[in-house]
Amino acid sequence: MSVLIKGGRVITAADDYVADIFVEHERISLIGASLDVPAETVIDASGKYVLPGAVDPHTHLDMPFGGTTTIDDVESGQRAAARGGTTCHVDFCIQAPGTSFSDSLADWKSKAAGKQVIDMGYHIAVTDLKNGGSLEELATLPDQGVTSYKLFMAYKGALMVDDETLFKTMEVAAETNALVMVHAENGDAIDVLVKKALAAGHTEPRYHALTRPPETEGEATNRAIQLARVAGCALYVVHVSCKESVEPIQLAREKGWDVWGETCTQYFFIDFTHLEKPDFEGAKYVYTPPPRDKANQDVLWDAVRRDTLSAISTDHCAFTWGEQKALGRDDFSKIPNGGPGLENRLHMIHHFGVREGRIGMNRMVELLCTNPAKLFGLYPRKGTIAVGSDADIVIFDPEKRHLISAANQQSRTDYNLYEGTEVVGDVDTVLLRGNVIVQNGEVVGKPGVGEFVRRARFGEQLTAAGADAPAAV
Ligand code: URP
Ligand code: ZN
Ligand code: ZN
């Protein structure tokens, strides 16, 4: 299979130039001006951007959570991702209590079998080191390409781990060069606040935020940073939503510590007032950490500009509003936590970030493609456009208008966080390792075209031959 992409504006984290790209055997083999090579497929990209396929480091597909299971399985979630220009994601394999890590991974891989439309990897979410998963087994996972360990410091009684489990996992990560990821909120304090609110008869969706104040996120972020220092591991704080969490990350990075932070698309656009929408509509915005006061949105834009936060993910964890969110009609704590977003990350960040002058194009590519690939052991196979990289390529029409709506989305959920937003700039064509999976904005990739990717360890590169030379991250 060979593809020639002609005359597009190639934009990576570092470069911006007009060129042709020739793809052979799933990889980029030539980049140059006016390439004169025969190809089975020729795509005219003139007037369009040619971007690396976006990498989403934080998604939840087919995940049991909050008394139900996310509405998007691997197929519908990855169709949404592909339509939005994402060609690789790293999903969370959640260790079921009492289950070994290898059994958990086998279970999650079986959910993906035959359904993959894009490439994917897994983080392992450690929930139980006493019955089931052992530290010894955890140490073997990077050899299988699972090179990041996730811990939830919240969701008491469900996914939350204690500091002993957190710290012991960090010690293993220090030995194996895995990256530790934390959901940083103080789950014990939140549990007290939730019980108090319910006892006082407060059941509406807005209490989701009122019982999870930003200080609980700031405290847990700082605790994780300090513990990571003691253990000597690299730390990545997921879904940072507020100033209280940005500040300790900023301080750690100023000190040169191995600390990284991510925020998610929704935190730039959705604020606390969305939870106050009448007739239970606020439940659409019940995700964790919760939508914050609007002032935090500028803090987050500033943080991604300064590289205090280095990646933007979606935390796609979709439930239907009509049925699944309704589980918490009379009790906000029973509303399944999570929101959709895989399809619209590039739309929203391009329109409101780049077009409105908050970040440049190169920085957008860095936040959505290159940094997630580097941090999670996918670079330079993923996250950039270079000779030898996988031909994961997005041809993006910067002037095409797109109306974001549940009515035209791939996700199976019945709402969209950005319903009715008209963006300028849309995905036209997407290639996954040279295979056209989106054409004229239509998903044409067949389930099975996507593959599981064995990721390199933190700080190592992933090339065609596998993990090798140290990379600057
Ligand atoms: O509300 C959310 N974010 N649900 C997904 C699980 C998590 O905390 O990332
Ligand atoms: Zn989380
Ligand atoms: Zn998440």
Side-chain angles (χ1 to χ4, degrees):
M1 166 256 291
S2 60
V3 183
L4 182 62
I5 302 169
K6 297 279 299 170
R9 184 173 153 195
V10 179
I11 305 171
T12 67
D15 299 310
D16 189 340
Y17 55 91
V18 173
D20 298 348
I21 296 177
F22 184 59
V23 173
E24 257 183 323
H25 310 302
E26 304 201 339
R27 298 214 155 79
I28 296 170
S29 67
L30 281 174
I31 303 175
S34 308
L35 293 178
D36 187 15
V37 273
E40 287 157 53
T41 306
V42 178
I43 301 172
D44 177 12
S46 51
K48 305 208 172 81
Y49 298 160
V50 178
L51 310 174
V55 176
D56 193 333
H58 185 161
T59 59
H60 304 273
L61 302 181
D62 209 343
M63 180 175 85
F65 194 47
T68 182
T69 299
T70 58
I71 192 71
D72 281 323
D73 68 357
V74 170
E75 187 174 336
S76 63
Q78 293 194 349
R79 283 177 64 87
R83 176 63 184 83
T86 292
T87 50
C88 185
H89 70 123
V90 193
D91 205 71
F92 291 92
C93 165
I94 313 277
Q95 177 205 11
T99 309
S100 70
F101 297 121
S102 55
D103 284 353
S104 303
L105 279 164
D107 184 27
W108 286 72
K109 281 186 184 173
S110 73
K111 300 194 219 191
K115 292 188 172 181
Q116 285 185 239
V117 183
I118 63 170
D119 287 352
M120 77 188 296
Y122 289 111
H123 314 285
I124 189 80
V126 177
T127 62
D128 174 15
L129 287 176
K130 295 200 171 81
N131 317 292
S134 68
L135 294 171
E136 292 71 30
E137 194 197 4
L138 192 57
T140 66
L141 299 187
D143 291 336
Q144 300 166 43
V146 176
T147 56
S148 36
Y149 306 150
K150 167 77 179 290
L151 298 118
F152 290 90
M153 299 168 77
Y155 303 128
K156 191 168 179 176
L159 302 175
M160 179 172 144
V161 296
D162 56 17
D163 284 353
E164 181 184 347
T165 302
L166 171 63
F167 186 66
K168 283 182 171 167
T169 301
M170 287 176 161
E171 288 188 317
V172 174
E175 284 162 24
T176 61
N177 280 347
L179 180 59
V180 171
M181 308 169 78
V182 283
H183 170 135
E185 283 184 307
N186 187 317
D188 282 315
I190 288 166
D191 191 55
V192 172
L193 295 173
V194 168
K195 285 181 175 144
K196 258 191 186 171
L198 291 172
H202 300 315
T203 59
E204 306 89 31
R206 70 195 173 103
Y207 284 94
H208 175 64
L210 295 174
T211 55
R212 311 182 91 94
E215 291 80 0
T216 59
E217 189 181 332
E219 182 279 328
T221 300
N222 187 48
R223 181 162 28 113
I225 290 171
Q226 301 302 335
L227 292 178
R229 283 293 287 169
V230 179
C233 69
L235 180 73
Y236 179 91
V237 183
V238 303
H239 52 42
V240 170
S241 71
C242 57
K243 178 164 137 302
E244 285 74 2
S245 179
V246 167
E247 282 175 350
I249 294 171
Q250 184 178 344
L251 187 64
R253 290 178 64 74
E254 279 167 10
K255 287 175 181 289
W257 298 350
D258 243 341
V259 173
W260 308 82
E262 140 201 299
T263 189
C264 312
T265 322
Q266 54 272 26
Y267 294 111
F268 295 111
F269 305 106
I270 310 291
D271 63 57
F272 173 73
T273 60
H274 287 74
L275 286 165
E276 299 183 300
K277 289 190 177 213
D279 302 325
F280 199 58
E281 218 188 313
K284 293 177 178 173
Y285 309 96
V286 170
Y287 46 74
T288 307
R292 302 293 189 189
D293 287 345
K294 208 168 175 52
N296 286 289
Q297 295 176 357
D298 282 343
V299 174
L300 295 175
W301 282 116
D302 200 46
V304 294
R305 263 196 304 273
R306 291 164 181 259
D307 204 37
T308 299
L309 300 179
S310 308
I312 301 174
S313 73
T314 62
D315 193 5
H316 183 94
C317 184
F319 300 101
T320 59
W321 178 63
E323 284 188 22
Q324 293 178 300
K325 293 276 183 185
L327 291 170
R329 254 245 167 237
D330 303 318
D331 175 349
F332 71 90
S333 72
K334 294 200 168 67
I335 301 170
N337 286 198
L342 254 170
E343 197 158 337
N344 304 119
R345 181 175 56 143
L346 181 55
H347 286 134
M348 294 296 284
I349 301 300
H350 171 259
H351 184 102
F352 295 99
V354 176
R355 281 189 77 97
E356 296 199 347
R358 293 182 175 92
I359 54 173
M361 274 301 293
N362 297 111
R363 182 62 180 158
M364 181 189 81
V365 171
E366 199 164 34
L367 289 162
L368 270 50
C369 315
T370 317
N371 281 352
K374 284 183 174 174
L375 287 161
F376 291 99
L378 293 160
Y379 184 85
R381 265 189 63 190
K382 312 286 189 191
T384 194
I385 291 181
V387 170
S389 294
D390 283 1
D392 294 354
I393 295 172
V394 175
I395 301 175
F396 187 85
D397 185 338
E399 297 305 331
K400 190 167 172 215
R401 289 174 183 273
H402 176 70
L403 182 67
I404 296 178
S405 173
N408 62 24
Q409 71 189 8
Q410 301 294 322
S411 167
R412 289 187 187 138
T413 192
D414 54 359
Y415 74 102
N416 189 300
L417 293 176
Y418 318 112
E419 183 68 37
T421 304
E422 192 186 51
V423 289
V424 180
D426 194 10
V427 170
D428 181 275
T429 303
V430 179
L431 277 71
L432 175 75
R433 285 176 282 100
N435 300 287
V436 175
I437 59 168
V438 175
Q439 198 166 34
N440 298 324
E442 296 294 322
V443 180
V444 295
K446 296 275 175 287
V449 66
E451 291 179 353
F452 174 74
V453 187
R454 288 165 60 101
R455 295 180 293 118
R457 289 161 202 262
F458 182 71
E460 293 180 359
Q461 292 202 339
L462 185 67
T463 63
D468 54 17
V473 286

